[in-house]
């Protein structure tokens, strides 16, 4: 009898432990996803108390700007009307440093800030030095010539004389450093003197001179503290809710974020919208595929084929026209009316006639497409590579001798890649807090539930085994006889004819255990159904 009592007590203890584990696991299945969501919502908003605030303020990701120049192989032949030939040079790599200043929290759930950028040349990552010479179109001469196309012939002749006096030619041979950060040119002083509103800059002229040691404009974005649905969205840029560079309200809209963080809890139907001051427009990237980056799940977003399509191919882009061939965007209205065009490198994803018009171009997806890998739960980018190309439309202008017999062509000047990937301590912290811990909690809830169910089976089995075996010689009630024929323990029905002392604790625990098991199986079935639906929607 003593051994049986000890067995009952052991079964009761194990059953009670199993009940606690099962209840805790079931509660975690219901509560943990909500807690994780609340913590994510709390820590991705722009607030000094959030975990991501310092990451937003001082971006821990090392960014690099890689520059590839198109060195003109046959400048003299181009002036005679032949097809241009280029040779790609580079990359010339610069470390990009970013920091936000003038951070001001406003009463309407927004924050305003200036983000300053500076660049530092990285010889060890570059294929060349800043002292390398590159033959390129003389943007000032050829752009000024295009602007004079419809002016009186007398003005064109005066400009030709001025170009000759100053020694200006259609093509120039300058160093990488000069092309990037600026060079002195007497033509700038002459134009600013007689046509003061033609160019927005004074002194030196360089392709990236305006970006170094400068800010990208005053951004005002929503913090998400009061209204989470608008988190990170741009409210105004330089005090404007829309720009006036383009010819339609849709193209002038400032949509999306500032391009650094997006709203959390993304799905494959989510798109990435952001405003780019350099492109003077909002852009949209679309979902391509899911993947991982250093063990962190990500969604990859890429540019749609319509990003730089012209208005005839994609009517919503009509506001960016006047357009040339599809695949390049005219940005002259936001770049001092110079005939500059933005596209993917080597005219990737553009009308093939553009790449065929210039020898030495080889567009391909692997080298020239852009992407952003974003952690879908938080909306924080893990890895990015944004690649764009700047080109100049050139042709012979009657009356301006420096343009010779140049055939109309969109000539690539430079393409650049802005890339960055989370690494080091920030990556490890991100992985631990936002991937590892949620995964541990996710699996722990099912382990507890399964362990609880197994332990709950012990008192149930013990209760069944402790009943007398079925016997046909006893006098039973009709119900008991039916149970006896089925070899079912009589104690579960009536408790009569029981030769052993009854155990009310075990019976109660058994009943509770059966109920808990039923709830556990229903919960697991519901979760499996949800996972099946999610998998089916992903496959579709």
């Amino acid at each position: 009898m003593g051994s049986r009592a000890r067995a009952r007590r052991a079964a009761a203890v194990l059953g009670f432990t199993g009940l606690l584990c099962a209840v805790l696991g079931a509660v975690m299945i219901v509560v943990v996803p909500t807690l994780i969501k609340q913590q994510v919502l709390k820590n991705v908003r722009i607030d000094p108390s959030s975990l991501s605030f310092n990451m937003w303020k001082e971006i821990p990701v090392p960014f690099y700007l890689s520059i590839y120049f198109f060195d003109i192989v046959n400048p003299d032949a181009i002036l005679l009307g032949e097809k241009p030939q280029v040779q790609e040079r580079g990359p010339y790599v610069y470390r990009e440093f970013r920091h936000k200043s003038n951070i001001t929290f406003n009463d309407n759930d927004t924050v305003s800030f200036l983000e300053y950028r500076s660049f530092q040349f990285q010889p060890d990552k570059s294929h060349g030095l800043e002292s390398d010479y590159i033959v390129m179109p003389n943007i000032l001469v050829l752009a000024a010539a295009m602007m004079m196309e419809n002016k009186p012939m007398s003005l064109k002749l005066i400009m030709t004389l001025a170009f000759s006096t100053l020694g200006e030619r259609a093509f120039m041979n300058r160093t990488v450093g000069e092309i990037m950060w600026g060079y002195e040119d007497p033509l700038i002083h002459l134009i600013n003197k007689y046509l003061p509103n033609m160019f927005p800059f004074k002194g030196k002229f360089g392709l990236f001179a305006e970006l170094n040691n400068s800010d990208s404009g005053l951004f005002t974005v929503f913090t998400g503290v009061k209204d989470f649905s608008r988190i990170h969205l741009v409210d105004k840029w330089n005090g404007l809710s829309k720009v006036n560079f383009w010819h339609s309200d849709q193209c002038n809209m400032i949509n999306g974020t500032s391009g650094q963080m997006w709203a959390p809890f993304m799905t494959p139907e989510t798109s990435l919208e952001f405003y780019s001051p350099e492109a003077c427009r909002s852009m949209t990237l679309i979902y391509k595929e899911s993947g991982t980056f250093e063990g962190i799940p990500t969604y990859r977003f890429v540019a749609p084929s319509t990003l730089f399509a012209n208005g005839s191919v994609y009517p919503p882009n009509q506001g960016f026209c006047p357009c040339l061939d599809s695949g390049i965007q005219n940005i002259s209205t936001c770049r001092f009316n110079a005939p500059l065009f933005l596209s993917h490198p080597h005219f990737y994803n553009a009308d093939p006639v553009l790449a065929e018009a210039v020898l030495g171009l080889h567009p391909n997806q692997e080298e020239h497409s852009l992407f952003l890998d974003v952690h879908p739960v938080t909306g924080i980018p893990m890895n990015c590579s944004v690649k764009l190309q700047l080109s100049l439309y050139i042709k012979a202008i009657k009356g301006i001798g420096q343009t010779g017999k140049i055939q109309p062509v969109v000539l690539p000047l430079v393409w650049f890649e802005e890339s960055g990937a989370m690494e080091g301590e920030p990556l490890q912290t991100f992985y631990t807090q936002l991937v590892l811990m949620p995964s541990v909690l996710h699996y722990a809830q099912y382990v507890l539930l399964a362990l609880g169910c197994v332990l709950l089976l012990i008192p149930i089995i013990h209760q069944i085994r402790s009943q007398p075996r079925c016997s046909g010689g006893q006098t039973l009630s009709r119900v008991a006889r039916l149970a006896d024929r089925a070899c079912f323990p009589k104690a579960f029905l009536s408790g009569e004819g029981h030769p052993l002392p009854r155990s009310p604790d075990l019976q109660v625990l058994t009943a509770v255990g059966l109920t808990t098991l039923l709830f556990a199986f229903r919960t697991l079935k519901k979760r499996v159904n949800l996972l099946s639906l999610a998998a089916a929607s992903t496959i579709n």
Side-chain angles (χ1 to χ4, degrees):
M1 295 292 292
S3 62
R4 291 179 178 176
R6 286 194 297 272
R8 285 198 299 271
R9 284 195 296 270
V13 170
L14 291 175
F16 183 72
T17 303
L19 179 63
L20 287 179
C21 291
V23 170
L24 181 58
V27 170
M28 287 179 66
I29 288 176
V30 176
V31 173
V32 166
T34 303
L35 290 177
I36 292 176
K37 183 176 181 179
Q38 289 176 348
Q39 286 301 308
V40 170
L41 295 179
K42 177 182 177 182
N43 289 305
V44 299
R45 62 190 185 181
I46 305 176
D47 184 84
S49 64
S50 71
L51 292 177
S52 64
F53 180 76
N54 287 332
M55 182 184 297
W56 171 83
K57 181 181 177 182
E58 299 284 347
I59 298 176
V61 176
F63 277 95
Y64 293 93
L65 178 67
S66 301
I67 307 294
Y68 298 81
F69 291 95
F70 292 100
D71 193 16
I72 305 295
V73 176
N74 60 339
D76 294 333
I78 296 174
L79 290 171
L80 296 175
E82 295 184 18
K83 181 182 291 189
Q85 182 177 354
V86 298
Q87 180 183 359
E88 184 177 283
R89 300 273 300 276
Y92 297 88
V93 182
Y94 295 83
R95 172 69 190 274
E96 182 176 349
F97 298 91
R98 298 182 179 187
H99 72 278
K100 293 181 176 67
S101 64
N102 292 39
I103 299 175
T104 305
F105 287 90
N106 307 309
D107 295 332
N108 62 342
D109 196 29
T110 63
V111 59
S112 301
F113 62 89
L114 293 171
E115 184 173 68
Y116 287 89
R117 291 173 295 180
S118 60
F119 299 89
Q120 188 177 84
F121 185 61
Q122 307 288 300
D124 57 318
K125 296 181 180 293
S126 302
H127 292 172
L129 301 173
E130 284 192 304
S131 57
D132 292 348
Y133 277 87
I134 306 289
V135 177
M136 287 188 67
N138 190 330
I139 299 175
L140 293 175
V141 170
L142 294 174
M146 288 293 297
M147 295 177 192
M148 297 293 292
E149 183 178 13
N150 298 318
K151 300 295 183 181
M153 181 60 69
S154 58
L155 288 179
K156 295 178 184 178
L157 294 176
I158 292 174
M159 179 161 283
T160 299
L161 179 60
F163 286 160
S164 300
T165 303
L166 298 173
E168 300 286 352
R169 303 180 63 185
F171 296 94
M172 62 182 185
N173 187 19
R174 292 191 178 274
T175 66
V176 168
E178 289 176 327
I179 297 170
M180 286 289 296
W181 311 119
Y183 55 89
E184 293 285 351
D185 195 312
L187 180 60
I188 298 177
H189 301 291
L190 180 66
I191 292 177
N192 285 332
K193 181 177 181 180
Y194 294 101
L195 300 170
N197 297 322
M198 179 173 288
F199 294 145
F201 47 83
K202 312 294 180 183
K204 291 185 177 182
F205 170 75
L207 290 178
F208 292 83
E210 295 180 353
L211 298 182
N212 197 22
N213 298 315
S214 63
D215 62 82
S216 54
L218 181 66
F219 274 99
T220 301
V221 303
F222 287 95
T223 65
V225 174
K226 297 178 182 178
D227 183 3
F228 190 80
S229 66
R230 307 189 72 180
I231 186 170
H232 299 306
L233 294 180
V234 176
D235 180 38
K236 296 182 185 303
W237 176 74
N238 282 341
L240 302 172
S241 55
K242 65 177 184 178
V243 296
N244 58 358
F245 299 122
W246 315 111
H247 307 295
S248 71
D249 290 336
Q250 181 177 354
C251 293
N252 279 321
M253 292 176 63
I254 297 178
N255 297 324
T257 73
S258 61
Q260 296 174 354
M261 295 175 69
W262 284 267
F265 307 114
M266 294 177 170
T267 68
E269 288 71 38
T270 303
S271 59
L272 295 189
E273 287 188 297
F274 60 96
Y275 178 74
S276 170
E278 289 73 31
C280 309
R281 59 165 289 189
S282 298
M283 295 186 178
T284 301
L285 305 184
I286 58 175
Y287 171 86
K288 180 184 180 183
E289 60 189 3
S290 60
T292 58
F293 174 76
E294 301 293 342
I296 298 174
T298 59
Y299 281 175
R300 171 157 290 190
F301 293 87
V302 299
S305 58
T306 57
L307 182 61
F308 297 120
N310 62 22
S312 60
V313 173
Y314 186 61
N317 282 355
Q318 187 64 43
F320 295 123
C321 293
C323 302
L324 295 178
D325 300 294
S326 190
I328 57 175
Q329 182 193 325
N330 187 340
I331 58 172
S332 59
T333 53
C334 75
R335 287 292 179 265
F336 51 87
N337 290 318
L340 293 169
F341 288 81
L342 199 64
S343 69
H344 296 293
H346 287 243
F347 298 122
Y348 166 72
N349 238 354
D351 192 318
V353 300
L354 291 164
E356 292 169 359
V358 180
L359 299 175
L361 298 183
H362 308 285
N364 67 82
Q365 179 178 352
E366 183 177 353
E367 295 182 16
H368 303 136
S369 61
L370 62 84
F371 69 85
L372 264 72
D373 291 338
V374 182
H375 183 231
V377 176
T378 60
I380 296 176
M382 296 288 103
N383 184 28
C384 67
S385 175
V386 178
K387 303 172 183 176
L388 296 172
Q389 176 178 295
L390 190 65
S391 304
L392 181 69
Y393 178 61
I394 62 174
K395 66 177 183 178
I397 302 297
K398 186 178 180 181
I400 300 182
Q402 282 75 12
T403 60
K405 298 179 181 179
I406 298 175
Q407 295 299 306
V409 64
V410 180
L411 188 61
L413 302 174
V414 62
W415 75 267
F416 53 93
E417 175 189 15
E418 201 167 24
S419 59
M422 190 174 289
E423 60 183 33
E425 185 177 346
L427 176 65
Q428 187 61 42
T429 301
F430 190 96
Y431 177 80
T432 301
Q433 296 184 355
L434 294 173
V435 178
L436 183 60
M437 291 305 297
S439 296
V440 170
L441 291 174
H442 175 76
Y443 289 110
Q445 60 193 13
Y446 293 108
V447 170
L448 285 172
L449 186 60
L451 178 62
C453 292
V454 171
L455 293 177
L456 277 172
L457 287 174
I458 295 175
I460 296 174
I461 294 172
H462 180 272
Q463 182 75 0
I464 294 174
R465 290 173 61 88
S466 66
Q467 308 308 314
R469 295 183 179 277
C470 297
S471 173
Q474 297 180 357
T475 303
L476 302 171
S477 64
R478 181 177 180 181
V479 175
R481 284 197 300 273
L482 291 172
D484 189 59
R485 293 190 189 103
C487 292
F488 193 88
K490 295 186 286 294
F492 275 92
L493 298 175
S494 64
E496 298 176 357
H498 200 304
L500 298 175
R502 297 196 304 179
S503 177
D505 292 342
L506 274 180
Q507 290 178 351
V508 171
L509 188 59
T510 300
V512 173
L514 288 171
T515 304
T516 304
L517 285 172
L518 180 61
F519 172 76
F521 290 140
R522 286 179 175 175
T523 302
L524 285 173
K525 182 179 179 181
K526 183 178 179 182
R527 297 289 287 185
V528 169
N529 289 338
L530 288 174
L531 290 173
S532 300
L533 289 173
S537 64
T538 302
I539 293 173
N540 294 333

